[in-house]
Amino acid sequence: MMRYSGLRVIMEGLRGNTGWKPAWRDPEPKAEYDAIIIGGGGHGLATAYYLAKNHGLTNVAVLEKGYLGGGNVGRNTTIVRANYFLPGNSEFYSHSLKLWEGLEADLNYNVMHSQRGLINLFHSDGQRDAFVRRGNAMINQGDDAVLLDPDGVRDHLPYLDFDNTRFPIYGGLLHPRGGTARHDAVAWGYARGADQRGVDLIQNCEVTGLDIANGKVTGVQTARGAIRAKKVGLVVAGRSSQVAAMAGMRLPIESHVLQAFVTEGLKPVIDHVVSFGMGHFYISQSDKGGLVFGGDLDFYSSYAARGNLPMAEHVMEAAMTLMPMIGRAKVLRSWGGIMDMSPDGSPIIDKTETEGLFLNCGWCYGGFKAVPASGWCMAHLMATGQPHEVAKGYRLDRFLTGHGLMDEEGTGAQHNLH
Ligand SMILES: Cc1cc2nc3c(=O)[nH]c(=O)nc-3n(C[C@H](O)[C@H](O)[C@H](O)COP(=O)(O)OP(=O)(O)OC[C@H]3O[C@@H](n4cnc5c(N)ncnc54)[C@H](O)[C@@H]3O)c2cc1C
């Protein structure tokens, strides 16, 4: 196993960088595995990694229809936080943030996790009350939250428009351990760690069918032939409904587009993650200097990984309202990803009615920060057959029975509002 270190970088620099090896192998698929993970995004790769690391299951394949990290894991705005309010979500995201804090050492990979602090702004007395309650819930969960008055916000974010007559800033909730990480490095780090433990990562291998006999999964059909396995994890984010339909399942998931935007590189100007309370807008600055920001979903279901201009205009308007200085920056590029939206805005990690077939989906637009805990809990479920303690609320049947719904936003059952 090749370990990365500062010393190795110096040594390789001295000998013309001839000693580096590919970060993972490019194996041919075997005829059979103990477990197959469909989807080489963050959640699929993390599941494979923890199956091998925590449960000693190494005869595992990740089947990815494109290239590793080409989906949402490499398209998001990189925000990592544990500021959830409801039981069920709180303990899960708290667990995830603790895993993030040890991730680079665990993977021996620089995922550029930066705990620069996240500030959620509020603009009315009602919003302040809601954020006070959220902050208390975070503290009760063992995470951190600090209530800021307008002067406290001004100390951190002097460049905001505080006196906006329509949306004056009443204060903010600071989550000091929140921040960002480099999104595709997370996929690469987990891929490398899984590969080193013997997992086969198979790219350009679309799953086209699920083999099921007598109520049990027996394998998958792929663009590279049939592969047998008694355990199959369906971890395909925005494509969840399509792949589940191969097992005759109709999921309570809608796929929606979410866009992200990046400006030209600028000198350091925004050193937190900032979230606007009166419009769907959030922003941070990447290490390269680009301002990375996003807003709400485009308001229609789609499988196109690109968005439309009305939402781009809406996001720019929110940006200008909050920080007029941003109008001087040039937007360099934008892109879209396909969100797997659930009716209550919370995810699903569960068994299905088909024995051996497991489901991981419904991450909406918050699934990047969930990657470590999702992989951890999905691996636990696939290896032991039992839900992990911090993910036991993520049952699929809550949408059938109505028991245990976790509607964090309080917006009801309309997928695109979560
Ligand atoms: C613009 C944008 C901003 C976001 N911002 C944030 C944020 O700031 N913070 C946050 O926490 N979350 C954010 N998210 C959400 C987060 O990125 C997703 O919830 C998360 O990445 C989804 O899980 P994943 O990484 O496994 O998905 P993906 O990377 O999409 O992985 C799924 C994989 O499955 C593969 N696949 C699909 N069908 C098949 C098949 N039939 N056979 C084989 N493979 C298949 C796909 O090719 C894909 O690679 C954002 C998302 C977007 C698009």
Side-chain angles (χ1 to χ4, degrees):
M1 180 197 298
M2 177 187 247
R3 278 195 66 78
Y4 294 154
S5 65
L7 185 63
R8 181 168 284 276
V9 171
I10 293 168
M11 297 292 290
E12 287 300 330
L14 291 174
R15 54 182 190 194
N17 287 306
T18 51
W20 298 115
K21 301 207 173 61
W24 53 83
R25 297 164 294 130
D26 185 20
E28 284 300 311
K30 294 190 227 164
E32 182 164 8
Y33 290 92
D34 294 336
I36 284 175
I37 308 297
I38 308 174
H43 295 253
L45 292 165
T47 301
Y49 175 76
Y50 292 120
L51 272 175
K53 180 175 181 239
N54 294 357
H55 303 281
L57 262 174
T58 55
N59 187 25
V60 173
V62 176
L63 307 182
E64 166 53 47
K65 76 171 178 176
Y67 60 93
L68 297 180
N72 292 328
V73 71
R75 292 169 177 266
N76 57 69
T77 41
T78 78
I79 301 169
V80 173
R81 57 186 165 91
N83 62 350
Y84 280 69
F85 178 58
L86 294 179
N89 281 329
S90 285
E91 56 270 39
F92 176 84
Y93 287 99
S94 183
H95 181 58
S96 205
L97 187 53
K98 290 188 193 93
L99 291 174
W100 275 107
E101 286 167 340
L103 195 60
E104 290 169 335
D106 185 27
L107 296 177
N108 176 228
Y109 203 88
N110 183 7
V111 302
M112 297 167 75
H113 183 216
S114 159
Q115 293 184 290
R116 57 186 69 182
L118 161 73
I119 299 178
N120 283 102
L121 299 168
F122 43 80
H123 310 263
S124 68
D125 289 333
Q127 267 196 333
R128 179 169 44 218
D129 288 352
F131 274 110
V132 168
R133 292 179 69 201
R134 182 175 292 266
N136 284 333
M138 290 159 67
I139 290 167
N140 286 342
Q141 179 57 45
D143 293 315
D144 58 342
V146 181
L147 196 69
L148 302 175
D149 62 12
D151 285 340
V153 175
R154 212 182 282 269
D155 285 347
H156 289 86
L157 315 172
Y159 47 81
L160 299 183
D161 182 2
F162 283 82
D163 305 319
N164 185 301
T165 43
R166 193 155 171 225
F167 304 126
I169 294 171
Y170 277 43
L173 186 67
L174 168 65
H175 172 34
R177 284 165 65 226
T180 59
R182 174 158 174 182
H183 46 198
D184 35 21
V186 175
W188 301 333
Y190 273 117
R192 175 170 169 270
D195 173 87
Q196 284 175 343
R197 285 170 173 77
V199 172
D200 282 357
L201 307 174
I202 303 175
Q203 306 184 68
N204 299 313
C205 185
E206 179 168 1
V207 170
T208 52
L210 294 168
D211 295 333
I212 296 168
N214 303 321
K216 296 180 186 172
V217 74
T218 57
V220 298
Q221 298 291 324
T222 80
R224 296 172 67 172
I227 308 176
R228 293 191 302 280
K230 293 194 179 68
K231 291 184 180 183
V232 175
L234 201 160
V235 198
V236 290
R239 299 282 173 180
S240 296
S241 299
Q242 291 177 327
V243 181
M246 296 174 193
M249 293 172 67
R250 186 158 177 262
L251 292 184
I253 296 290
E254 282 183 6
S255 291
H256 286 259
V257 183
L258 180 65
Q259 303 188 57
F261 306 87
V262 179
T263 69
E264 61 194 330
L266 302 170
K267 286 183 181 172
V269 55
I270 295 180
D271 48 9
H272 299 80
V273 181
V274 186
S275 171
F276 186 25
M278 290 309 285
H280 216 129
F281 173 74
Y282 37 89
I283 188 163
S284 65
Q285 187 165 17
S286 79
D287 292 286
K288 278 196 293 186
L291 304 183
V292 180
F293 57 96
D296 215 338
L297 300 171
D298 281 51
F299 288 119
Y300 51 88
S301 303
S302 174
Y303 286 111
R306 62 177 183 277
N308 257 321
L309 285 175
M311 186 48 66
E313 188 179 3
H314 175 85
V315 171
M316 303 304 158
E317 277 173 2
M320 288 293 291
T321 304
L322 184 63
M323 45 180 79
M325 66 160 188
I326 202 172
R328 303 185 64 129
K330 294 190 182 71
V331 174
L332 204 59
R333 56 204 170 92
S334 69
W335 63 84
I338 309 164
M339 304 292 79
D340 40 331
M341 303 299 295
S342 68
D344 66 355
S346 295
I348 300 163
I349 303 179
D350 205 353
K351 299 179 198 175
T352 68
E353 287 181 357
T354 302
E355 193 179 322
L357 184 65
F358 300 86
L359 182 62
N360 177 314
C361 65
W363 294 102
C364 303
Y365 39 70
F368 177 60
K369 63 183 170 299
V371 161
S374 166
W376 186 282
C377 296
M378 181 72 172
H380 181 93
L381 178 68
M382 289 184 70
T384 68
Q386 298 302 319
H388 189 279
E389 187 58 26
V390 299
K392 61 180 191 308
Y394 294 155
R395 294 169 60 116
L396 175 59
D397 69 1
R398 70 183 190 272
F399 301 107
L400 192 66
T401 64
H403 295 303
L405 292 172
M406 276 168 277
D407 182 357
E408 192 80 27
E409 307 275 329
T411 42
Q414 193 174 332
H415 293 68
N416 65 354
L417 293 183
H418 286 286

